[in-house]
Amino acid sequence: MNNKYMMYAPMAVFGITAFFLFQYFSADNSETAFRDNIVPELIGFCLEGFFWIGLLSYFQKTREMQRKNELWLSLRGSLRSFLSYLDIGFLEDNAEPSSSTALENDPAIIQQLIEKLDRQTLDLESLQMLKRTCLYSLPLVRDLVPVAAQLSATHMRWWIAISDDMRRIGHANDRDSIEKQVMLLLKNIQEFDGMSY
């Protein structure tokens, strides 16, 4: 928030200064060289400063949003294998699996998987694949904690919770434990997806 104020403070200074200079120039005063020659140039300078700083601030904010979006995509992309195997585990006959793009980018996929987990039971082969995938993906997910921290401290905390859920799934030994942890993992991913950055 402080950075936001620091970004817009120069714009406010230039804008207010230009306004008061214009008021001074428009006032019914006696003609002077300063008022007729210098003040219009100062108004022009303030307006140029206002628009240039605004334009630079816009580009800076846009680049920052793009960078954060790339960080978010790299985090969610690390969960694609797990979500893909879970999605395949729930597939009905002749149904098509969700696309990789949807698994990585679409938060609605998580809600769909939560609803399926509530209604359906995974077979043993799917449970084994989820365990293996969690153990395989866990080092990468843990390594991405600093990346999540670049989004915010709250993002980092949810990401740590996600990595802990994956660890528990990888070490669970019975169906109930695995399904319980999968549900917790999905809900933590949903919370992570719901945060702005």
Side-chain angles (χ1 to χ4, degrees):
M1 188 62 68
N2 291 334
N3 289 336
K4 181 179 179 181
Y5 289 139
M6 290 296 293
M7 182 185 299
Y8 293 117
M11 290 180 63
V13 171
F14 277 117
I16 292 169
T17 303
F19 174 77
F20 281 114
L21 285 172
F22 180 76
Q23 291 290 100
Y24 170 72
F25 181 74
S26 300
D28 188 17
N29 295 331
S30 59
E31 295 184 1
T32 63
F34 175 78
R35 178 174 174 274
D36 293 340
N37 298 325
I38 306 299
V39 172
E41 292 185 15
L42 290 175
I43 293 172
F45 172 77
C46 289
L47 290 176
E48 285 183 10
F50 179 86
F51 287 114
W52 275 110
I53 291 175
L55 192 61
L56 291 173
S57 299
Y58 170 78
F59 283 128
Q60 180 182 357
K61 187 174 181 180
T62 301
R63 278 196 330 199
E64 181 67 14
M65 288 301 296
Q66 289 175 344
R67 187 184 73 85
K68 288 186 174 182
N69 187 57
E70 289 171 359
L71 294 176
W72 187 88
L73 289 174
S74 68
L75 291 164
R76 284 291 269 106
S78 68
L79 304 174
R80 183 184 61 190
S81 295
F82 173 83
L83 296 176
S84 178
Y85 282 120
L86 185 58
D87 179 61
I88 291 170
F90 288 128
L91 277 183
E92 299 177 357
D93 293 340
N94 301 320
E96 291 290 328
S98 301
S99 67
S100 295
T101 303
L103 292 170
E104 291 180 9
N105 301 334
D106 188 1
I109 289 289
I110 305 301
Q111 182 59 39
Q112 293 170 15
L113 291 173
I114 289 174
E115 292 171 359
K116 289 178 180 178
L117 189 59
D118 271 335
R119 296 191 311 263
Q120 299 173 234
T121 300
L122 291 164
D123 57 44
L124 290 176
E125 183 180 356
S126 296
L127 293 175
Q128 288 296 324
M129 287 302 301
L130 290 176
K131 280 174 55 71
R132 283 199 292 269
T133 302
C134 284
L135 290 172
Y136 177 78
S137 302
L138 186 58
L140 173 61
V141 172
R142 281 179 171 165
D143 287 345
L144 290 174
V145 169
V147 175
Q150 292 182 51
L151 294 176
S152 74
T154 308
H155 282 87
M156 181 185 70
R157 285 193 290 270
W158 282 113
W159 195 255
I160 290 172
I162 288 169
S163 66
D164 285 342
D165 288 335
M166 294 188 77
R167 177 183 58 79
R168 292 187 184 102
I169 292 169
H171 292 97
N173 294 318
D174 60 88
R175 171 184 292 276
D176 289 342
S177 297
I178 295 173
E179 290 183 344
K180 178 182 177 182
Q181 287 303 141
V182 169
M183 180 64 79
L184 287 173
L185 174 57
L186 291 174
K187 289 183 176 179
N188 283 335
I189 295 171
Q190 194 173 50
E191 292 289 341
F192 181 84
D193 288 347
M195 288 184 296
S196 58
Y197 52 82

